[in-house]
């Protein structure tokens, strides 16, 4: 290991995400190219670095920095350079020279401790002088936090969040209890906190560590497993194994956490003793109670009025409704709660339109909503009545500076309920326990709730399985639609979805139809076919616009047929490199103007404006919203994205990780959306994703056209495998799982014909 000391001159490259820099150091008059993790250093500062030399064919010798210390500028020339850095906004060369000429080597001390003297210089007000001093002192404290965090490999974004939360006390707080970061800093993992704790010699069996480990494990159980609780004995075994401690120590800490009201320990039959997160316990208890109350409510019903309303609706739409559709409208008119479920083509949208029209005739105010923007847009277009996402309907209110829990909050609640007599929510399979809790809290007294969805699609990404639980319990009013109204003579999509859902092979490759299968022998061949279909064949043969009309939906992220590789392939063909298109690489993704992207997590603070009305805007962009990158400013890492509903938002280096290319998306990300044409690659599908409801969900995203590309045996195995991911909940019909595999899937008896696997 060697040491060098020099003054930072020019910064050639900077990664704002992790603080990596390439810079020129002036080492006693000799310029040295150095690179490494150098958060919050600026031109003019002196650094003393340890590292090693590396020879580059292109750039010559470079010093690879592994650790370093910084020192304030030591001579007047370096102080002038430091004052002109981007740390001090508004100080140019003339002002910097004037300050240094007056105070010389004492400049830094004057700025730090006597800002009033800076105000004696012409052009610098007392306010500006104080601002310069505050900036420097804030920088000094921030730098100490960043340097401390850098010792443990903590990302700059996390270090910045730590400083925003704990301020000048950041280092002391982390030293006292690094595990507090998993609770207070979004995205900070237990493993990261554990690494810090081990370096600080915190005992591996300390209560702080075990408590944090239990809470982290419970959070994974909720966020990744979708469970609302977990069996006590299994949690003890998992936590003890993960933490390397005795089971008795885990049980003692579970009692501590229960007394601190961070968890709830309760008996739920047939599972026995279970453990909840405190908040999830409260959510589930409220949702279950509210559903019970709503299902007990009934409303007066006039048969003649109802029949006249149905007759009027059928004439206006030029259709004849089926018996189950009419029954659904009638039950909607009489029940406080109604669940309507059915696959594609079974008439759910027609029912929503008829119910809305019926309530309009009764003089009741109906509100339409859905979990995603694309689903809400689809209802709006099909029903002719505005639908909003649940988040926008409830009006997100989120301020992490004021809310330590980082919990989702809304303006609409029991104190300020929604002005709606009837709430109709579509795509209910996507609604988790948390969002349902807030929707129910915002219903005014006497309002009715109609939940519409497909019980056979994937459950919500978040915890719970609301729709499946409601349908499984006969005490809740429900209508199950199983008659297909889109006839097979018109489309094979609905028919094949029905067949697959019942364990039968689909009808394929009728040239007059809209459902095709293309066999491939290798994953690479499959990927090439997918790219060729999207870029050439389908647009030429059927007139689909390749970027907006065609969507690749794949079960997996990895491999040649996963989203990562396919997005690179499709980007290179559909939006190739062009001297007139600006681009910027962020992490492992290259973004280019014209790229199709998806927002991948709920951001309750991201502002948006209407494309056609700069005065019309709001806050909140949510998981699954799609759009096009209209502008990239590489130097400032500023991205402008226009979404499909003609809103646009501005992204920067702090939140650019909230968007990703979406020429290809996973099946889970496709929920709640519909696309004109869907291309589904099936090759080397991981075991845990090779299930019937994965394939069923992908197919039902298509409105006009489906092409499956890949291995016929993979398709057959997916259709044959009727496994479902088991989730522990205390709603619906509760049965102990017969058999659970290592991935948490309940293995059910296979249905359908025997498959002649090739």
């Amino acid at each position: 290991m060697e040491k060098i000391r020099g003054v930072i001159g020019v910064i050639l490259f900077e990664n704002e995400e992790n603080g990596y820099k390439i810079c020129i150091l002036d080492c006693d008059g000799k310029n040295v190219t150095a690179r490494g993790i150098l958060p919050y250093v600026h031109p003019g500062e002196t650094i003393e670095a340890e590292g090693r030399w590396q020879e580059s064919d292109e750039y010559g010798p470079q010093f690879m920095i592994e650790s370093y210390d910084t020192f304030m500028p030591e001579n007047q020339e370096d102080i002038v350079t430091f004052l002109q850095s981007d740390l001090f906004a508004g100080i140019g060369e003339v002002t910097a020279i004037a300050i240094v000429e007056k105070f010389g080597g004492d400049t830094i001390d004057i700025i730090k401790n006597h800002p009033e003297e800076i105000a004696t210089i012409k052009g610098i007000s007392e306010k500006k002088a104080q601002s310069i001093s505050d900036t420097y002192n804030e920088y000094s404290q921030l730098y100490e936090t960043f340097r401390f965090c850098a010792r443990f490999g903590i990302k700059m974004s996390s270090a910045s969040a730590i400083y925003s939360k704990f301020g000048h006390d950041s280092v002391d707080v982390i030293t006292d209890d690094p595990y507090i970061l998993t609770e207070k800093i979004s995205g900070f993992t237990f493993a990261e906190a554990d690494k810090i704790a081990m370096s600080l010699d915190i005992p591996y069996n300390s209560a702080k560590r075990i408590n944090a480990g239990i809470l982290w494990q419970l959070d994974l159980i909720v966020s990744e497993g979708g469970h609302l609780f977990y069996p006590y004995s299994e949690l003890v075994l998992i936590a003890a194994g993960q933490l390397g401690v005795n089971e008795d120590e885990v049980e003692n800490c579970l009692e501590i956490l229960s007394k601190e009201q961070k968890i709830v320990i309760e008996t739920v039959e047939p599972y026995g003793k279970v453990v909840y997160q405190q908040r999830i316990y409260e959510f589930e208890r409220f949702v279950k109670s509210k559903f019970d109350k709503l299902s007990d409510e009934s409303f007066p019903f006039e048969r003649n009025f109802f029949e006249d309303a149905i007759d009027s609706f059928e004439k206006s739409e030029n259709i004849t409704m089926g018996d189950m559709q009419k029954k659904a409208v009638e039950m909607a008119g009489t029940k406080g709660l109604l669940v309507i479920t059915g696959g594609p083509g079974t008439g759910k949208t027609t029912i929503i339109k008829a119910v809305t029209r019926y309530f309009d005739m009764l003089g009741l105010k109906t509100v339409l909503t859905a979990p995603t923007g694309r689903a809400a847009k689809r209802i709006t277009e099909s029903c002719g009545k505005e639908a909003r996402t649940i988040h926008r309907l409830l009006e997100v209110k989120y301020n992490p500076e004021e809310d330590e829990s980082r919990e989702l909050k809304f303006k609409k609640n029991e104190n300020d309920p929604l002005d709606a007599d009837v709430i109709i929510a579509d795509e209910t399979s996507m609604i988790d326990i948390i969002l349902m809790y807030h929707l129910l809290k915002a219903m005014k007294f006497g309002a009715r709730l109609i939940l519409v969805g497909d019980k056979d699609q994937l459950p919500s990404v978040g915890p719970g399985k609301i729709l499946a639980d409601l349908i499984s319990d006969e005490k809740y009013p429900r209508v199950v639609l199983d008659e297909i109204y889109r006839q097979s003579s018109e489309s094979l999509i609905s028919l094949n979805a029905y067949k697959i859902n019942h364990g039968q092979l689909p009808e394929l490759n009728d040239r007059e139809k809209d459902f095709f299968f293309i066999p491939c022998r290798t994953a690479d061949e499959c990927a090439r076919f997918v790219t060729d279909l999207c870029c050439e064949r389908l647009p030429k043969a059927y007139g689909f616009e390749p970027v907006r009309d065609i969507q690749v939906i794949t079960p997996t992220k990895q491999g040649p047929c996963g989203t990562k590789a396919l997005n690179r392939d499709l980007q290179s063909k559909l939006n190739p490199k062009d001297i007139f298109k600006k681009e910027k690489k962020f992490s492992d993704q290259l973004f280019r103007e014209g790229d199709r992207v998806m927002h991948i997590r709920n951001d309750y603070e991201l502002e948006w404006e209407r494309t056609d009305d700069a005065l019309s805007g709001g806050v909140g962009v949510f998981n699954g919203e799609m759009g096009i990158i209209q502008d990239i400013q590489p130097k400032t890492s500023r991205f402008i994205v226009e979404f499909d509903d003609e809103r646009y938002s501005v992204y920067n280096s702090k939140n650019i990780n909230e968007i990703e290319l979406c020429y290809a998306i996973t099946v889970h990300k496709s929920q709640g959306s519909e696309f004109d044409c869907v291309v589904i690659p099936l090759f080397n599908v991981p075991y845990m994703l090779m299930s019937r409801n994965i394939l069923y969900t992908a197919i039902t995203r298509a409105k006009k056209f489906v092409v499956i590309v890949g291995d016929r045996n993979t398709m057959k195995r997916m259709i044959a495998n009727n496994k479902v991911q088991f989730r522990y909940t205390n709603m619906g019909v509760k049965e102990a799982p017969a058999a659970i595999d290592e991935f948490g899937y309940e293995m059910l008896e296979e249905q359908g014909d025997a498959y002649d696997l090739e």
Side-chain angles (χ1 to χ4, degrees):
M1 196 81 76
E2 297 187 54
K3 276 189 178 182
I4 63 171
R5 184 184 177 100
V7 178
I8 295 179
V10 180
I11 295 177
L12 302 174
F13 171 82
E14 178 176 7
N15 184 323
E16 298 178 9
E17 183 183 14
N18 60 13
Y20 181 84
K21 291 183 175 69
I22 303 174
C23 57
I24 302 297
L25 295 183
D26 180 355
C27 301
D28 293 329
K30 180 183 177 181
N31 286 340
V32 171
T33 301
R35 58 173 65 204
I37 303 297
L38 299 167
Y40 268 77
V41 296
H42 297 82
E45 290 183 85
T46 298
I47 69 168
E48 188 172 272
E50 285 191 347
R52 54 188 170 79
W53 290 97
Q54 185 178 80
E55 190 70 29
S56 168
D57 293 337
E58 187 173 355
Y59 301 106
Q62 297 180 333
F63 193 77
M64 314 302 289
I65 297 173
E66 296 189 12
S67 65
Y68 70 98
D69 280 315
T70 64
F71 307 89
M72 283 297 100
E74 297 171 341
N75 61 55
Q76 295 187 21
E77 182 180 348
D78 292 338
I79 295 174
V80 169
T81 301
F82 178 62
L83 292 178
Q84 292 180 78
S85 71
D86 57 4
L87 178 63
F88 300 99
I91 296 183
E93 182 179 7
V94 174
T95 303
I97 291 172
I99 294 173
V100 175
E101 283 182 346
K102 182 164 185 177
F103 301 111
D106 296 328
T107 297
I108 298 299
D109 180 67
I110 295 294
I111 290 174
K112 180 178 180 181
N113 300 307
H114 307 287
E116 67 279 359
E117 295 188 30
I118 301 291
T120 61
I121 294 176
K122 183 179 179 181
I124 299 181
S125 64
E126 291 184 5
K127 183 178 180 181
K128 185 174 181 179
Q130 187 62 52
S131 175
I132 293 170
S133 179
D134 291 344
T135 297
Y136 175 79
N137 289 322
E138 185 76 10
Y139 160 72
S140 299
Q141 294 290 337
L142 180 62
Y143 172 72
E144 288 303 315
T145 300
F146 270 68
R147 188 167 68 167
F148 180 82
C149 290
R151 284 172 49 195
F152 306 104
I154 298 174
K155 295 183 297 185
M156 281 188 69
S157 57
S158 294
S160 180
I162 289 169
Y163 187 79
S164 297
K165 181 65 184 174
F166 302 114
H168 298 173
D169 299 325
S170 295
V171 174
D172 291 338
V173 168
I174 297 172
T175 303
D176 178 61
D177 182 10
Y179 296 106
I180 198 172
L181 300 178
T182 63
E183 182 181 349
K184 302 293 185 181
I185 305 300
S186 179
F188 205 93
T189 68
F190 178 81
E192 291 173 315
D194 216 26
K195 180 181 177 182
I196 299 171
M198 296 300 103
S199 299
L200 298 173
D201 295 325
I202 293 176
Y204 79 99
N205 62 345
S206 69
K208 287 179 181 177
R209 179 173 184 266
I210 298 174
N211 286 347
I214 291 170
L215 293 176
W216 180 257
Q217 192 63 51
L218 263 181
D219 196 59
L220 290 178
I221 284 168
V222 169
S223 60
E224 296 185 5
H227 304 289
L228 302 189
F229 56 79
Y230 212 64
Y232 180 94
S233 58
E234 293 183 36
L235 178 62
V236 170
L237 284 172
I238 292 171
Q242 293 285 344
L243 298 171
V245 298
N246 296 327
E247 292 174 25
D248 289 345
E249 292 173 305
V250 173
E251 293 196 56
N252 290 337
C253 286
L254 281 168
E255 291 301 321
I256 293 171
L257 292 170
S258 178
K259 290 176 182 177
E260 292 177 350
Q261 296 187 328
K262 293 183 177 179
I263 65 171
V264 173
I265 301 173
E266 194 169 89
T267 298
V268 176
E269 295 302 334
Y271 313 118
K273 196 175 180 181
V274 304
V275 183
Y276 284 89
Q277 285 182 332
Q278 178 72 36
R279 67 188 187 108
I280 296 297
Y281 174 77
E282 294 171 358
F283 291 163
E284 185 189 61
R285 189 168 58 170
F286 176 85
V287 168
K288 186 177 180 182
S289 173
K290 184 69 172 179
F291 280 154
D292 289 345
K293 290 178 182 176
L294 286 171
S295 64
D296 288 339
E297 292 180 3
S298 59
F299 297 89
F301 179 74
E302 296 183 20
R303 172 64 59 183
N304 291 336
F305 181 86
F306 169 77
E307 291 179 354
D308 288 344
I310 291 295
D311 184 60
S312 173
F313 174 75
E314 289 179 328
K315 288 179 179 177
S316 66
E317 297 293 319
N318 193 28
I319 61 171
T320 300
M321 296 181 70
D323 292 339
M324 290 302 293
Q325 290 179 308
K326 292 178 182 178
K327 180 183 177 182
V329 180
E330 178 179 337
M331 291 179 68
T334 60
K335 304 293 184 181
L337 171 68
L338 177 63
V339 182
I340 302 171
T341 182
T346 56
K348 297 190 299 294
T349 301
T350 298
I351 291 172
I352 293 174
K353 291 171 68 175
V355 168
T356 303
R357 193 83 56 86
Y358 176 60
F359 283 128
D360 285 345
M361 295 175 68
L362 288 173
L364 299 178
K365 183 173 182 180
T366 305
V367 167
L368 302 180
T369 190
T372 68
R374 294 184 69 87
K377 183 179 180 182
R378 190 180 71 248
I379 305 170
T380 300
E381 292 171 348
S382 59
C383 295
K385 182 180 178 68
E386 183 188 11
R388 286 177 284 172
T389 64
I390 298 174
H391 289 87
R392 293 202 174 93
L393 179 68
L394 300 180
E395 300 177 30
V396 171
K397 179 181 70 174
Y398 180 77
N399 187 344
E401 300 299 324
E402 299 176 359
D403 180 20
E404 288 193 358
S405 70
R406 308 198 307 272
E407 185 58 70
L408 181 61
K409 286 183 169 57
F410 296 97
K411 294 178 183 177
K412 293 298 180 181
N413 51 41
E414 67 271 33
N415 298 318
D416 181 18
L418 293 167
D419 180 21
D421 301 305
V422 184
I423 297 173
I424 303 177
D426 197 12
E427 296 287 356
T428 308
S429 63
M430 296 182 64
I431 304 178
D432 62 24
I433 195 76
I434 300 169
L435 198 54
M436 183 59 75
Y437 166 82
H438 288 288
L439 180 62
L440 294 174
K441 289 273 279 190
M443 289 181 64
K444 71 179 183 181
F445 180 77
R448 317 177 200 198
L449 179 64
I450 300 170
L451 301 175
V452 184
D454 185 345
K455 64 181 177 60
D456 296 309
Q457 285 192 29
L458 294 172
S460 59
V461 174
K465 48 185 178 70
I466 301 289
L467 183 63
D469 280 341
L470 287 171
I471 292 169
S472 73
D473 196 330
E474 293 184 359
K475 73 179 179 182
Y476 297 117
R478 66 185 189 274
V479 173
V480 178
L481 305 169
D482 53 13
E483 181 181 352
I484 297 176
Y485 289 92
R486 294 181 209 162
Q487 297 301 318
S488 58
S489 60
E490 301 171 3
S491 170
L492 283 179
I493 296 174
S494 298
L495 176 63
N496 281 340
Y498 179 87
K499 281 176 168 287
I500 288 169
N501 200 33
H502 287 76
Q504 301 169 17
L505 292 174
E507 294 184 18
L508 302 170
N509 299 346
D510 184 332
R511 290 184 177 275
E512 302 300 319
K513 302 294 184 180
D514 51 12
F515 201 107
F516 292 86
F517 177 85
I518 299 175
C520 294
R521 292 168 294 181
T522 67
D524 289 333
E525 182 185 10
C526 179
R528 288 195 298 271
F529 253 112
V530 168
T531 302
D532 187 44
L533 282 168
C534 295
C535 303
E536 300 290 339
R537 297 191 184 191
L538 292 173
K540 287 181 179 178
Y542 298 97
F544 292 122
E545 200 284 313
V547 175
R548 291 188 181 271
D549 294 343
I550 302 173
Q551 183 62 58
V552 177
I553 300 178
T554 176
T556 183
K557 294 181 180 180
Q558 305 300 332
C561 297
T563 55
K564 292 182 179 180
L566 286 174
N567 271 316
R568 289 194 296 268
D569 294 344
L570 291 166
Q571 180 192 49
S572 68
K573 292 289 196 316
L574 294 174
N575 190 31
K577 189 177 182 64
D578 190 306
I579 59 172
F580 297 107
K581 291 181 180 179
K582 297 187 290 292
E583 60 183 46
K584 184 174 178 66
K585 189 170 185 179
F586 182 83
S587 294
D588 61 345
Q589 284 198 98
L590 175 69
F591 293 106
R592 184 175 293 132
E593 289 175 345
D595 273 337
R596 186 138 178 85
V597 293
M598 172 186 281
H599 189 94
I600 58 171
R601 61 176 59 93
N602 293 335
D603 187 331
Y604 309 112
E605 297 182 289
L606 183 57
E607 297 179 351
W608 54 265
E609 293 182 0
R610 289 287 176 196
T611 306
D612 57 353
D613 184 0
L615 299 178
S616 175
V619 176
V621 178
F622 305 109
N623 187 8
E625 298 196 42
M626 291 180 167
I628 303 291
I629 297 177
Q630 299 293 350
D631 181 57
I632 296 176
Q633 297 175 9
K635 289 186 178 180
T636 60
S637 300
R638 188 171 179 266
F639 289 60
I640 296 178
V641 176
E642 181 179 348
F643 298 105
D644 291 345
D645 59 356
E646 299 182 336
R647 291 174 301 117
Y648 72 87
S649 288
V650 179
Y651 293 80
N652 54 41
S653 59
K654 292 182 179 179
N655 63 2
I656 193 62
N657 62 337
E658 294 181 356
I659 63 172
E660 65 183 20
L661 297 175
C662 69
Y663 300 102
I665 59 177
T666 63
V667 178
H668 286 85
K669 287 291 185 185
S670 74
Q671 286 180 270
S673 300
E674 278 192 344
F675 309 93
D676 283 353
C677 178
V678 168
V679 178
I680 306 169
L682 295 181
F683 217 104
N684 294 342
V685 177
Y687 162 74
M688 68 184 74
L689 299 174
M690 197 178 290
S691 65
R692 183 183 301 171
N693 65 347
I694 291 278
L695 181 57
Y696 174 81
T697 300
I699 287 169
T700 56
R701 302 305 87 208
K703 291 190 290 185
K704 298 179 180 179
F705 209 87
V706 171
V707 185
I708 299 175
V709 185
D711 177 36
R712 190 180 298 271
N713 282 337
T714 297
M715 180 180 69
K716 290 178 178 180
R717 287 190 177 100
M718 292 181 77
I719 295 170
N721 187 9
N722 192 25
K723 67 182 180 181
V724 294
Q725 188 172 18
F726 183 81
R727 295 186 173 191
Y728 287 106
T729 73
N730 196 18
M731 294 174 55
V733 175
K734 297 181 289 296
E735 296 180 359
I740 297 291
D741 69 13
E742 61 181 307
F743 301 107
Y745 286 97
E746 184 177 13
M747 305 309 293
L748 304 179
E749 182 180 355
E750 291 183 357
Q751 302 174 19
D753 301 326
Y755 289 86
D756 54 334
L757 298 178
E758 299 166 353

